[in-house]
Amino acid sequence: MPERDGDGGAPAPRFTVGRPSRSARTLLVTVAVLALLMIAFVMFAGFWTDLLWYRSVHYSSVFGTVLWTKIALFCAFGLLMGLAVGANMFLAHRLRPPLSAMSPEQQNLDRYRMGIAPYKKWVLLAVSTVVGLVAGGSATGQWRLWLLFVNATPFHTKDPQFHKDVSFYTFDLPWYRFLLAFCFAVVLLSLLAAVLVHYLYGGLRITSPGARATAAATGHLSVLLGLFVSLKAVAYWLDRYSLAVKSSGIKATDNWTGLRYVDANAYLPAKTILFSIAVICALLFFATLWRRTWTLPTVGFGLMVLSAILIGGLYPAIVQKFQVQPNEAAKEAPYIQRNIDATRAAYGIDDTVESDYKGTSKASNAKLRADAGSAASIRVLDPNVVSPTFQQTQQSGSYYSFPSTLDVDRYTVDGKEQDTVVGVRELNVKGIPENNWINDHFKYTHGYGMVAAKGTTVTGNGAGSTAGSGTGSGSGNGTDTGSGASSDSDHTGQPVYTEQGLPTAGALGPYTQQIYFGEQTKQYSIVGGPTKELDYAEKKREVTTTYRGNGGVSLDNPVTRAAYAVTLGEPKILYSGAIGHGSQILYHRTPKQRVEAVAPWLTIDGDPYPAVVGKHVVWIVDAYTTSDNYPYASRTTLGNTTADSLTDNQRSVVARQNRVNYIRNSVKATVDAYTGAVTLYQWDAKDPVLKTWMKAFPHTVRPKSAIPAALMAHLRYPEDLFKVQRQLLTQYHVTKAAQFYTGSQVWQVPNDPASKSGKAVPPYYLSLKMPGQSAQRFSLTSTFTPDGRGNLAAFVAVDSDATSPDYGKIRLLETPTDDPVDGPRLVQSKFNSDSAYAQQISRLRGKDSTIEYGNLLTLPLDGGLLYVEPVYLRGANVDYPLLKKVFVSFNGRNAFDDTLDQALDSLFGSGGGTSTGPTSPTGPTGPASPGGPTASPPGSSADPQVEAALTKAQKAYDDAQTAMRKNDWTAYGEAQRRLGKALREAERAEKAAKAVNPAKAAKPSNAG
């Protein structure tokens, strides 16, 4: 019958929708199939390009191991979750009561049951599939835990509480925790699904009178609840062991890890009691299968909850309040000692050699000057400052550049090993003359050559300047022109290059100079095809090359080209005529990217460095194995601990896990700058974590014995590991629990005095001789200051020469607390605040130039500490820094001169005087008068006026030192003014005496 509208009028028109035509249906099906094929190809492209890349670096086994492990975990845990949830839904449906037994409340759900009835199997399958996919996907992220668990290697070290091997905590316990969390998820989802099905089909009632659940539903749900409580019992048991890796805090430190007194004497027994209660409660739930009543399990569950509050929460709080706090130092002492011992072992600082160091010297000036040359190869070329100088003098084209921070290595120059500042001339995409796809990816594809300069020498005025050798002429003109940039036409103060030019030539020997893989090479390049690649331009011609390595993926296959066109979002790759037979695509080109990809279980140091090994430039990359489950060892955050004033995105650590409490430099890796070949070498043969990964990924890490001698000569102690260790040593240099608890001997890493960033001073590489050593060793050094103060607490150095039997030995020189020694920040502050130095700096700077301060090096010297800081001038006419002055400080005496040798001569005397008193014309913090006569210390002049003036200077100096110790800066300033006045009087008197009788005039001293 026709339908009428609501007003009873004419019948409403009926619209019918016809079937789409055959051509329309064909079009829709075609579009759908094409869309599916496109999606499938995009997924395939990502997989295929990854596989090809791993094959190109010959680490396809890593790709396969990770892939198959993820597939296995996905299938296992996905099936377990899907089957468990599906089985419980099916069981709940089978246990439904007959329709006749349903209450009116349940009968109201008939329409839902009828709607689902035709699709019951599909609903069951869909729900099981969805939860299975989600569970499987989450499980794939745990592939590292699984591989560590199945390949676990013992540490042969047991924790002091449970006497279990450390491997249980680092490899087993994390996997058990994941399994427990997964089982909780299985039971909870199964319980939720079962409750919904039981309610839908009448097994559960909410509002109807009578029993709330049928006997079948009661039995089913009680079993699931029993399983949940059983898992809680397992959690309580594992919680006992987790106390050994639990983070908490005590008065001494906020990074405390491990059991404390309250954990061992309250939480541990509480967890054991709660485990027993949970087991009993679970049995009561299982007993419901026969008793068909919820009374006992409900009571048991309530008892467990109450016990968790009272035993697990209130009781430990009472113990802490009334037993621990009244005598915390004594109660916590054994546990603090455990933490100290474990932390020092976990970070490799337990073998630190600690010794007392006076910090002041009574040696004669002659001995100090002689020993200054042999105590260290004092590096005045700061790799953090001179990169613009390399850039301007060695760039050779805007399409090349050097990193902002250069590296320090060792090379033999003229038969002598020399600390050398090195940098690779890398490709700079922003400097390409005309940016287009061909130029960016086919023509400008690589950098070219390596540049090296002596770290201890710069070009000097006259005869030059040899820094820190003790044999340099020091015969530069020593004239301070005061004209700033205008005086720099001779460009003195430049690096003395030992490898330079295009093509490069020098002391490093012949090597393949094209740099296809580097720190700044981040874009892909297509090489080896018909397009010639630019090496460099000279005399109006271009020198070109064609890549002959095998470090890329071949693009001969059109399917491969299509895959990369999709992956890189560049369709030209598919059809460009610039790609032909032999073309390869290079990507993942930074050393850190490549090492991280082939060893995804390693943490990568933030500073790879280049070295010429054989006839190739290789990047040396330090890599670490880490853990955050070493019992009792305090945790640290790598991102924060390894940051300093030089850290940027390029130099930051690539951390697999940022929060750690165990670290080893277990692997030394190399990346060939031409071929891109990645080689991993086992460095720490005792590390159980590395042994475990080597079992998981066999044949990926070569033994230490395979390291060639040419490479071994360039291996060094890694910076990021040293930064972590020095941060831990700020607290854990204390080895006794009582002293550690008070926190009175906490140190800090000082901020960089030459930087305004407010960040930690970076460690410095240089060759030096520590007390007790007979020769210089290539070392990595740093300093410590007392917390909140500017004086020096300790100097630390680690032997960084991989060929030395003492490699990795940390030596700590602690200065006395009752006789403070100036620290770097205080030395820099005095230098910056002195008016006489400021005048020299002002004259040097001129109008349009800027001053840049280099690294402030700290060096042990005959019981004292020598500070050396290069000062650079960046002139308006020469827009890159040139070394113009060197500041030195020793025992409170300072000097400021054109070269290091001249500064040391001013400080100690080239003739080897014997004075150890103040010798600077303006006292211990004042500069020398550039190019003018100097004054003698008290007691060395035959002229009474000079002697009287210097006596006043000595008195003013003593007053200044007293005021400084008292932090009375007003009195300090007044004493400095008197000191300057007295020394100027001495200078005038000395001039007058020399004019009257040169033979009897005061002999020029060694003042700075």
Side-chain angles (χ1 to χ4, degrees):
M1 184 176 181
E3 295 182 4
R4 298 181 179 272
D5 60 20
D7 297 329
R14 177 177 293 177
F15 296 95
T16 59
V17 179
R19 288 185 67 187
S21 65
R22 176 176 296 180
S23 59
R25 292 199 303 272
T26 303
L27 179 61
L28 290 174
V29 171
T30 303
V31 170
V33 170
L34 289 176
L36 290 174
L37 288 175
M38 289 179 63
I39 294 172
F41 186 78
V42 169
M43 297 174 64
F44 165 78
F47 166 81
W48 183 240
T49 54
D50 284 346
L51 177 59
L52 291 176
W53 186 86
Y54 275 95
R55 285 180 178 176
S56 72
V57 292
H58 308 293
Y59 282 91
S60 54
S61 62
V62 173
F63 180 81
T65 298
V66 174
L67 176 64
W68 288 112
T69 302
K70 288 182 176 181
I71 290 174
L73 291 174
F74 178 86
C75 294
F77 286 91
L79 283 174
L80 179 60
M81 177 66 80
L83 289 175
V85 173
N88 278 280
M89 292 177 65
F90 177 77
L91 182 60
H93 180 264
R94 287 292 300 271
L95 296 176
R96 67 190 184 280
L99 292 176
S100 58
M102 288 191 179
S103 66
E105 175 189 356
Q106 300 299 324
Q107 291 173 3
N108 290 332
L109 300 176
D110 280 346
R111 62 181 181 275
Y112 299 110
R113 288 192 292 270
M114 293 175 64
I116 294 175
Y119 311 104
K120 286 189 293 187
K121 293 181 179 180
W122 291 107
V123 171
L124 178 64
L125 182 62
V127 172
S128 301
T129 301
V130 170
V131 296
L133 289 174
V134 173
S138 65
T140 59
Q142 307 302 321
W143 64 270
R144 291 185 178 88
L145 290 184
W146 168 249
L147 290 177
L148 287 172
F149 174 72
V150 298
N151 296 286
T153 302
F155 278 68
H156 301 295
T157 300
K158 294 184 178 181
D159 80 284
Q161 183 67 41
F162 302 103
H163 307 293
K164 285 187 170 292
D165 192 271
V166 171
S167 62
F168 170 79
Y169 300 95
T170 55
F171 305 138
D172 299 344
L173 187 59
W175 178 252
Y176 294 151
R177 280 292 183 188
F178 166 70
L179 284 182
L180 183 63
F182 180 82
C183 291
F184 269 121
V186 169
V187 172
L188 287 174
L189 288 176
S190 297
L191 181 63
L192 177 61
V195 167
L196 290 175
V197 174
H198 277 301
Y199 179 72
L200 183 63
Y201 286 95
L204 292 177
R205 304 181 180 93
I206 298 177
T207 60
S208 301
R212 300 297 184 189
T214 63
T218 299
H220 183 196
L221 298 180
S222 65
V223 170
L224 290 175
L225 289 171
L227 289 174
F228 177 83
V229 178
S230 298
L231 291 174
K232 190 61 181 174
V234 175
Y236 282 134
W237 189 257
L238 292 181
D239 283 346
R240 300 167 68 255
Y241 301 110
S242 296
L243 291 173
V245 292
K246 183 193 72 170
S247 292
S248 58
I250 62 171
K251 181 179 179 181
T253 176
D254 293 331
N255 297 319
W256 178 273
T257 299
L259 284 83
R260 298 180 298 162
Y261 179 90
V262 69
D263 297 316
N265 295 277
Y267 280 111
L268 187 56
K271 296 294 183 182
T272 305
I273 295 171
L274 290 172
F275 164 77
S276 303
I277 294 174
V279 170
I280 296 172
C281 185
L283 293 175
L284 292 177
F285 274 107
F286 292 138
T288 306
L289 280 171
W290 296 276
R291 296 179 58 85
R292 304 298 184 183
T293 176
W294 292 95
T295 304
L296 285 178
T298 302
V299 172
F301 187 78
L303 176 62
M304 186 179 74
V305 173
L306 183 62
S307 300
I309 296 173
L310 296 179
I311 302 175
L314 184 60
Y315 174 62
I318 293 174
V319 172
Q320 178 68 24
K321 180 69 175 178
F322 295 102
Q323 291 190 33
V324 178
Q325 289 184 3
N327 192 18
E328 187 175 42
K331 294 290 186 182
E332 300 288 11
Y335 305 97
I336 293 175
Q337 193 63 53
R338 292 178 180 181
N339 176 264
I340 293 173
D341 296 339
T343 301
R344 288 172 63 89
Y347 290 95
I349 57 176
D350 49 338
D351 291 330
T352 300
V353 178
E354 302 178 19
S355 56
D356 294 332
Y357 193 73
K358 184 66 175 176
T360 56
S361 176
K362 295 182 179 179
S364 67
N365 280 350
K367 179 173 175 54
L368 290 169
R369 182 63 186 92
D371 290 348
S374 61
S377 295
I378 304 175
R379 180 172 45 74
V380 294
L381 197 66
D382 187 349
N384 312 313
V385 174
V386 299
S387 177
T389 307
F390 274 50
Q391 190 83 6
Q392 292 294 325
T393 60
Q394 294 293 319
Q395 181 184 20
S396 303
S398 62
Y399 43 85
Y400 289 139
S401 67
F402 291 91
S404 58
T405 298
L406 304 176
D407 290 291
V408 177
D409 202 349
R410 296 146 291 156
Y411 287 92
T412 300
V413 179
D414 299 329
K416 180 182 178 182
E417 188 172 83
Q418 170 78 230
D419 287 0
T420 305
V421 176
V422 297
V424 168
R425 191 184 287 109
E426 291 194 49
L427 179 66
N428 175 25
V429 177
K430 295 180 180 178
I432 294 175
E434 182 179 350
N435 287 104
N436 55 60
W437 191 63
I438 295 296
N439 274 354
D440 291 352
H441 299 288
F442 289 82
K443 185 174 182 179
Y444 295 88
T445 60
H446 58 275
Y448 197 88
M450 189 164 163
V451 176
K454 293 182 179 181
T456 57
T457 305
V458 295
T459 59
N461 298 327
S465 167
T466 303
S469 66
T471 60
S473 66
S475 59
N477 59 28
T479 303
D480 182 1
T481 64
S483 58
S486 62
S487 67
D488 293 329
S489 59
D490 57 357
H491 294 187
T492 60
Q494 287 192 34
V496 176
Y497 294 108
T498 58
E499 186 80 13
Q500 62 179 324
L502 276 175
T504 59
L508 304 190
Y511 58 90
T512 303
Q513 301 202 4
Q514 289 87 358
I515 307 296
Y516 282 91
F517 298 88
E519 290 183 284
Q520 301 180 85
T521 313
K522 299 178 181 179
Q523 81 288 352
Y524 72 88
S525 290
I526 299 175
V527 298
T531 305
K532 293 294 184 179
E533 306 157 38
L534 178 68
D535 271 347
Y536 57 90
E538 66 173 8
K539 297 180 181 178
K540 299 182 180 181
R541 74 182 184 96
E542 291 185 345
V543 178
T544 60
T545 189
T546 299
Y547 183 68
R548 301 299 181 187
N550 58 355
V553 177
S554 173
L555 294 178
D556 290 348
N557 189 325
V559 175
T560 300
R561 292 174 65 170
Y564 278 104
V566 170
T567 302
L568 299 176
E570 181 49 74
K572 294 177 184 177
I573 295 176
L574 185 59
Y575 57 80
S576 174
I579 301 175
H581 178 70
S583 291
Q584 301 179 50
I585 184 168
L586 306 180
Y587 61 108
H588 292 334
R589 300 172 68 182
T590 68
K592 290 196 290 186
Q593 275 183 320
R594 295 179 80 79
V595 175
E596 182 190 15
V598 303
W601 33 274
L602 290 174
T603 291
I604 312 302
D605 189 271
D607 185 27
Y609 59 99
V612 175
V613 178
K615 294 186 178 181
H616 285 261
V617 175
V618 300
W619 293 93
I620 300 174
V621 185
D622 286 287
Y624 312 106
T625 47
T626 61
S627 175
D628 65 344
N629 283 290
Y630 194 99
Y632 278 101
S634 291
R635 291 182 171 88
T636 189
T637 304
L638 289 179
N640 296 334
T641 307
T642 59
D644 58 32
S645 62
L646 300 178
T647 302
D648 52 24
N649 291 333
Q650 183 171 304
R651 290 173 59 88
S652 59
V653 64
V654 181
R656 183 180 61 81
Q657 54 185 135
N658 199 29
R659 190 79 169 159
V660 304
N661 69 349
Y662 172 90
I663 185 169
R664 289 291 185 273
N665 177 212
S666 53
V667 171
K668 299 284 188 180
T670 62
V671 177
D672 191 294
Y674 185 81
T675 66
V678 181
T679 309
L680 307 176
Y681 295 102
Q682 182 183 19
W683 185 248
D684 189 339
K686 297 180 180 179
D687 179 27
V689 181
L690 177 60
K691 291 179 180 179
T692 298
W693 285 120
M694 289 176 67
K695 288 196 290 184
F697 296 94
H699 312 301
T700 58
V701 181
R702 298 186 184 183
K704 186 175 183 178
S705 58
I707 300 177
L711 173 61
M712 184 71 78
H714 294 282
L715 299 183
R716 68 189 191 187
Y717 201 80
E719 283 189 67
D720 283 338
L721 175 61
F722 183 67
K723 292 176 190 176
V724 171
Q725 291 174 325
R726 72 172 180 178
Q727 185 62 46
L728 269 295
L729 281 171
T730 59
Q731 286 183 289
Y732 288 92
H733 66 280
V734 177
T735 58
K736 301 299 182 184
Q739 295 175 336
F740 188 91
Y741 175 81
T742 63
S744 60
Q745 299 185 38
V746 173
W747 298 339
Q748 66 180 14
V749 177
N751 292 337
D752 188 351
S755 170
K756 297 180 181 179
S757 64
K759 295 182 179 179
V761 62
Y764 297 124
Y765 286 106
L766 73 157
S767 295
L768 80 159
K769 184 167 61 177
M770 290 287 283
Q773 292 181 333
S774 58
Q776 294 179 13
R777 302 277 181 83
F778 187 66
S779 303
L780 188 55
T781 67
S782 189
T783 55
F784 297 107
T785 59
D787 195 11
R789 287 179 287 169
N791 54 292
L792 190 72
F795 173 83
V796 61
V798 58
D799 195 321
S800 301
D801 184 353
T803 62
S804 168
D806 288 335
Y807 172 85
K809 178 70 71 176
I810 301 175
R811 292 178 171 86
L812 193 66
L813 305 180
E814 296 189 47
T815 59
T817 57
D818 56 345
D819 188 13
V821 178
D822 288 353
R825 187 177 65 184
L826 196 54
V827 170
Q828 184 74 50
S829 177
K830 290 179 179 179
F831 174 49
N832 292 342
S833 61
D834 190 275
S835 58
Y837 285 147
Q839 291 174 7
Q840 284 201 76
I841 293 293
S842 179
R843 290 195 299 269
L844 183 67
R845 180 186 293 115
K847 294 182 178 179
D848 300 316
S849 304
T850 58
I851 293 294
E852 296 182 28
Y853 297 101
N855 39 217
L856 180 59
L857 302 177
T858 308
L859 307 168
L861 177 62
D862 291 334
L865 289 163
L866 176 66
Y867 290 96
V868 179
E869 183 176 47
V871 178
Y872 294 83
L873 177 70
R874 187 191 288 263
N877 299 329
V878 182
D879 191 21
Y880 54 88
L882 299 172
L883 179 64
K884 288 302 177 184
K885 291 285 185 181
V886 178
F887 167 72
V888 294
S889 178
F890 184 83
N891 277 14
R893 298 178 296 166
N894 303 327
F896 191 50
D897 222 316
D898 293 342
T899 70
L900 176 59
D901 279 332
Q902 291 172 354
L904 292 175
D905 287 344
S906 297
L907 191 64
F908 300 128
S910 58
T914 59
S915 171
T916 58
T919 60
S920 174
T922 57
T925 59
S929 298
T934 55
S936 301
S940 63
S941 174
D943 187 89
Q945 293 183 348
V946 174
E947 185 69 26
L950 290 178
T951 300
K952 294 180 182 178
Q954 181 67 56
K955 177 64 168 64
Y957 167 72
D958 293 339
D959 292 346
Q961 293 295 96
T962 301
M964 183 177 63
R965 293 191 186 97
K966 295 180 180 180
N967 290 328
D968 187 349
W969 301 111
T970 301
Y972 176 81
E974 175 60 29
Q976 287 283 27
R977 284 190 291 273
R978 289 192 286 113
L979 181 59
K981 180 180 179 182
L983 287 174
R984 285 191 292 273
E985 290 177 0
E987 186 175 356
R988 287 193 295 269
E990 188 177 35
K991 287 181 180 179
K994 188 173 183 179
V996 173
N997 189 353
K1000 294 183 179 181
K1003 182 181 179 180
S1005 78
N1006 46 24

